[in-house]
């Protein structure tokens, strides 16, 4: 990932919505000790910015939001991961039962 | 400019809601707690015929009902002779955004457009976000989805990350938040800032949109088997699918069908805990929503939740996370359907239920959802291991939410744990009492409403009110 973004780049910003200590009264202790954070993506409105800079973006619906630049053209890193050993033989086991093997 | 701190925004909740939903809920109040539920549904919802027309235009609904013949055979191998009901599944993954949530979203978005709102906002980490974004895209409305998505260490729940991707693919702005109920505060701010429509899951529009699911199931079962469904098992979270489906089933004239809710057991995990957030492998269809929403539906993001499950449920069961992953694998391997996993909560319960029923009975699984990277047992199990949750083969009875995930060794170990509906009904009345504050007085009309809403006898309601020091005038 490049560390400098240009105007018009697709970027992600980060913002603290509620600092620790200002959380809702009903949250459990572990949650109360950390801030409520927000991340959102949009196109960069500043001419040029580096990671960590405070920037403005225009979101997909045209809203202008401000926050800290945390990613430039962020990728979707979700994956399937490896087939887990705990599930690998389930299909074979069930087909055996269906075919009349012992269960 | 209005103050934007937490307390001030929460204090404006009522006015923000009124403007963003366009329903004056006070119109339906008939007592201190009582409101006219059916009148609200009639006046602010849409008729079944209108819903069908709107959904047809939006390419939503009319999904296939598939008989799971191999799973039924498997159930019969594991059952006493003559037992093992026929299992059918409503394949809702065939909707445009690939879950039944399109039914709700199509109505909410239609209504928002008709009422002249410039866009829609939904607070959801689940399939509903993608559904709203998809429907908004085809209706040329702006769409903002607010998600609870990552913990304080920055770990993103894989399923929610995938949903966020889907929402962005449909052109939505996605606000991704760390763990906490203050998501609602953010949601209110967005509604106020944009003047968009609150596409809540719990409006009369949203619930009316699900009624077609119930009517379609009844019509399809009649067509395929010549009889009415004996059981419909739905994955139960906030109560929408159970309420809407049951209302549709009744509108189709199927009065003997038993309505069962099924949730993944996550008891012991705190839903607002930063630590517990990523120690669960299901982000919906679990007890963390299922129980609180059953016993106090009005905790939702609208003043009067149109999803009121205690009116409709004939049974409520839980299943384990490991059992749902096992059944998800079985559905792919034996039926050639890669779906879920969260939607397969109902299939897991139906699998156990079918073993206890005669062969001529029909159990309908409500419903399937799409699967994909992040939103798949493989991804969830890999993530669970990374978060320190033990994954192993064993007896699902030994599963402790947050500590381990036990993949059954054999299919006959898959079981439902019944949750006492009577206890939930009593808990509902206790919640109603605690909502009263210091002024502990109710009228007869409230007592009648509580009896109707909880499906308890009036005498039982009166006993519980007395126990909670509430006076009836």
């Amino acid at each position: 990932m490049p560390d400098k973004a240009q105007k018009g780049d697709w970027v992600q910003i980060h913002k603290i919505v509620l600092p620790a200590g200002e959380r809702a009264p009903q949250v459990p202790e572990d949650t109360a000790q950390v801030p409520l954070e927000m991340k959102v993506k949009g196109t960069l409105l500043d001419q040029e910015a580096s990671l960590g800079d405070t920037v403005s973006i225009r979101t997909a619906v045209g809203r202008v939001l401000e926050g800290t630049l945390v990613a430039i053209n962020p990728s979707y890193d979700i994956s399937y991961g490896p087939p887990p050993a705990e599930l690998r033989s389930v299909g074979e086991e069930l087909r055996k039962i269906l075919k009349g093997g012992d269960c | 400019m209005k103050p934007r701190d937490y307390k001030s925004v929460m204090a404006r909740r009522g006015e923000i809601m009124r403007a963003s939903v366009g329903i004056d809920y006070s119109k339906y109040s008939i007592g201190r707690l009582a409101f006219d539920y059916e009148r609200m549904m009639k006046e602010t919802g849409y008729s079944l015929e209108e819903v069908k027309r709107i959904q047809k235009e939006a390419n939503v609904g009319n999904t296939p009902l598939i008989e799971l013949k191999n799973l039924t055979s498997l159930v019969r191998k594991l059952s006493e002779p003559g037992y093992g009901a026929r299992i059918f599944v409503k394949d809702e993954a065939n909707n445009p955004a690939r879950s039944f949530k399109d039914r709700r979203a199509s109505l909410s978005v239609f209504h928002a457009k008709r009422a002249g709102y410039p866009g829609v906002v939904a607070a959801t980490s689940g399939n509903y976000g993608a559904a709203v974004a998809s429907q908004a895209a085809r209706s040329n409305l702006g769409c903002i989805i607010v998600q609870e998505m990552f913990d304080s260490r920055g770990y993103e729940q894989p399923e929610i990350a995938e949903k966020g991707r889907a929402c962005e693919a449909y052109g939505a702005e996605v606000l991704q938040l760390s763990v906490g109920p203050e998501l609602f505060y953010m949601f209110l701010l967005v509604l106020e800032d944009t003047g968009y429509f609150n596409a809540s899951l719990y409006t009369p529009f949203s619930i009316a949109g699900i009624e077609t699911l119930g009517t379609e199931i009844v019509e399809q079962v009649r067509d395929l088997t010549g009889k009415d469904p004996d059981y419909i098992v739905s994955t139960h979270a906030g109560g929408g699918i159970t309420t809407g489906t049951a209302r549709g089933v009744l509108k189709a004239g199927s009065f003997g069908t038993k309505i069962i809710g099924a949730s993944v057991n996550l008891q012991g995990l705190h839903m607002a805990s930063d630590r517990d957030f990523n120690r669960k492998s299901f982000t919906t269809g679990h007890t963390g929503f299922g129980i609180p929403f059953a016993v106090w539906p009005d905790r939702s993001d609208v003043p009067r939740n149109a999803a009121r499950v205690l009116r409709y449920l004939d049974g409520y069961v839980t299943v384990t996370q490991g059992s749902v992953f096992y059944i998800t694998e079985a559905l792919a391997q034996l039926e050639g359907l890669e779906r879920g996993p969260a939607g397969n909560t109902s299939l897991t319960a139906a699998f156990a239920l079918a073993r206890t029923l005669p062969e001529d009975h029909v159990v309908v699984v409500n419903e399937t959802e799409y699967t994909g990277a992040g939103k798949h047992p493989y991804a969830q199990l890999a993530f669970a291991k990374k978060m320190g949750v033990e994954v192993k083969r064993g007896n699902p009875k030994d599963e402790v939410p947050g500590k381990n995930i036990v993949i059954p060794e054999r299919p006959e170990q898959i079981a439902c744990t019944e949750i006492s509906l009577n206890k939930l009904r009593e808990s509902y009345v206790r919640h109603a009492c605690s909502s009263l504050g210091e002024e502990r007085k109710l009228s007869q009309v409230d007592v009648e409403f509580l009896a109707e809403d909880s499906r308890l006898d009036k005498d039982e309601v009166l006993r519980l009110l007395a126990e909670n020091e509430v006076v009836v005038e």
Side-chain angles (χ1 to χ4, degrees):
Chain A
M1 188 167 74
D3 59 4
K4 265 197 189 332
Q6 309 297 322
K7 187 173 181 171
D9 283 352
W10 184 247
V11 298
Q12 186 176 43
I13 60 167
H14 173 271
K15 205 173 154 172
I16 302 287
V17 179
L18 296 170
E22 289 180 28
R23 303 292 306 255
Q26 73 270 29
V27 302
E29 207 179 317
D30 63 333
T31 309
Q33 285 170 0
V34 295
L36 180 70
E37 303 168 69
M38 182 182 93
K39 292 190 284 191
V40 58
K41 295 172 197 162
T43 50
L44 185 69
L45 293 175
D46 303 66
Q47 278 307 324
E48 191 183 83
S50 300
L51 294 176
D53 289 354
T54 300
V55 297
S56 294
I57 60 165
R58 186 181 301 279
T59 71
V61 298
R63 295 203 301 155
V64 175
L65 300 176
E66 203 185 84
T68 307
L69 182 68
V70 289
I72 300 161
N73 200 22
S75 72
Y76 295 107
D77 291 329
I78 39 177
S79 74
Y80 289 91
E86 297 81 5
L87 286 179
R88 206 178 296 135
S89 54
V90 168
E92 199 185 323
E93 292 161 23
L94 295 178
R95 273 191 295 275
K96 203 180 274 176
I97 299 172
L98 266 185
K99 279 180 192 152
D102 54 34
C103 34
Chain B
M1 200 170 126
K2 291 175 179 168
R4 296 172 71 83
D5 62 281
Y6 181 76
K7 264 192 176 164
S8 308
V9 173
M10 293 302 278
R12 296 201 295 277
R13 170 187 181 152
E15 64 182 91
I16 296 172
M17 282 299 161
R18 256 192 309 283
S20 65
V21 184
I23 297 175
D24 180 5
Y25 284 92
S26 65
K27 231 172 88 178
Y28 304 103
S29 279
I30 49 174
R32 200 167 158 210
L33 293 174
F35 77 104
D36 192 337
Y37 175 55
E38 287 302 336
R39 192 180 144 218
M40 178 183 88
M41 292 303 287
K42 197 163 172 227
E43 288 184 5
T44 59
Y46 288 79
S47 73
L48 190 60
E49 290 314 309
E50 284 172 307
V51 174
K52 282 182 184 169
R53 187 177 47 75
I54 292 163
Q55 291 182 338
K56 193 173 179 202
E57 158 72 18
N59 312 308
V60 168
N62 282 314
T63 56
L65 185 77
I66 301 172
E67 182 162 15
L68 302 178
K69 291 189 177 169
N70 281 333
L71 279 177
T72 300
S73 297
L74 180 64
V75 163
R76 289 178 182 174
K77 294 257 180 202
L78 310 172
S79 308
E80 296 294 321
Y83 280 78
R86 293 171 73 179
I87 306 174
F88 292 76
V89 67
K90 184 69 169 157
D91 200 17
E92 287 288 287
N94 283 287
N95 280 303
R98 301 186 285 162
S99 82
F100 93 96
K101 289 284 175 28
D102 290 31
R103 294 179 190 262
R104 310 172 93 154
S106 59
L107 261 288
S108 293
V109 170
F110 177 88
H111 186 80
K113 179 97 178 170
R114 193 172 78 170
Y117 287 89
V120 289
V121 190
T124 162
S125 302
N127 290 331
Y128 188 56
V132 172
S134 159
Q135 289 295 315
R138 65 176 291 283
S139 303
N140 301 309
L141 287 181
C143 177
I144 301 173
I145 301 298
V146 190
Q147 287 188 325
E148 183 185 47
M149 194 242 198
F150 57 97
D151 67 16
S152 62
R153 295 173 301 169
Y155 285 117
E156 300 176 346
Q157 217 301 328
E159 183 165 14
I160 303 174
E162 156 55 17
K163 308 267 180 64
R165 183 208 59 77
C167 293
E168 287 177 347
Y170 297 125
E173 172 190 318
V174 184
L175 293 177
Q176 301 185 305
L177 300 180
S178 59
V179 181
E182 303 99 324
L183 180 142
F184 188 57
Y185 153 77
M186 198 64 219
F187 176 65
L188 290 172
L189 270 178
V190 173
L191 287 171
E192 197 173 51
D193 287 346
T194 59
Y196 281 11
F197 179 72
N198 172 8
S200 160
L201 283 158
Y202 305 109
T203 58
F205 328 114
S206 176
I207 300 308
I210 308 167
E211 290 179 3
T212 50
L213 188 48
T215 56
E216 284 175 28
I217 287 173
V218 171
E219 286 159 12
Q220 287 169 308
V221 170
R222 282 175 183 164
D223 193 38
L224 293 168
T225 71
K227 57 178 281 198
D228 284 354
D230 295 290
Y231 286 83
I232 297 177
V233 187
S234 305
T235 301
H236 171 63
I241 194 168
T242 310
T243 303
T245 302
R247 292 177 63 85
V249 167
L250 293 173
K251 285 185 179 178
S254 181
F255 301 109
T257 303
K258 296 247 183 304
I259 303 293
I260 309 295
S263 297
V264 169
N265 177 30
L266 290 185
Q267 290 180 75
L269 292 175
H270 196 306
M271 291 306 131
S273 160
D274 181 63
R275 180 188 167 276
D276 288 354
F277 179 71
N278 276 328
R279 297 183 76 80
K280 58 184 194 288
S281 297
F282 284 78
T283 60
T284 186
H286 58 66
T287 49
F289 291 125
I291 292 176
F293 271 89
V295 299
W296 196 232
D298 295 327
R299 66 178 61 243
S300 81
D301 57 359
V302 286
R304 293 295 195 184
N305 188 344
R308 309 189 83 82
V309 289
L310 290 181
R311 290 173 180 248
Y312 300 102
L313 278 180
D314 296 307
Y316 182 32
V317 298
T318 67
V319 291
T320 65
Q321 298 185 93
S323 300
V324 181
F325 289 142
Y326 182 91
I327 281 290
T328 300
E329 184 69 14
L331 182 67
Q333 294 268 343
L334 298 188
E335 300 288 350
L337 294 170
E338 200 183 15
R339 302 284 189 272
N344 293 335
T345 305
S346 50
L347 175 60
T348 309
F351 184 84
L353 173 68
R355 282 183 69 194
T356 68
L357 299 172
E359 284 185 351
D360 63 350
H361 277 46
V362 169
V363 176
V364 176
V365 176
N366 195 20
E367 30 59 75
T368 65
E369 52 164 0
Y370 83 103
T371 188
K375 194 174 150 49
H376 192 280
Y378 291 7
Q380 288 297 342
L381 290 175
F383 185 68
K385 288 174 186 175
K386 194 169 157 185
M387 294 296 111
V389 175
E390 184 195 8
V391 178
K392 60 176 182 185
R393 295 294 294 267
N395 190 330
K397 278 186 181 159
D398 298 330
E399 185 170 294
V400 181
K403 188 169 165 265
N404 60 21
I405 293 173
V406 182
I407 309 291
E409 289 159 320
R410 297 186 306 278
E412 62 268 35
Q413 291 171 322
I414 291 173
C416 294
T417 302
E418 193 147 349
I419 295 206
S420 158
L421 276 179
N422 215 43
K423 280 194 178 145
L424 295 183
R425 299 187 203 286
E426 290 179 1
S427 172
Y428 166 90
V429 176
R430 275 193 291 275
H431 273 87
C433 293
S434 60
S435 76
L436 294 173
E438 286 180 15
E439 178 76 19
R440 302 187 79 74
K441 278 184 196 157
L442 287 177
S443 58
Q444 278 300 330
V445 69
D446 291 311
V447 176
E448 275 156 32
F449 171 80
L450 291 176
E452 193 182 289
D453 218 28
S454 65
R455 258 165 80 188
L456 281 173
D457 288 346
K458 221 173 125 185
D459 289 346
E460 191 62 11
V461 172
L462 286 168
R463 182 185 68 77
L464 289 162
L465 291 178
E467 229 177 75
N468 287 276
E469 291 164 3
V470 174
V471 180
V472 179
E473 291 181 322

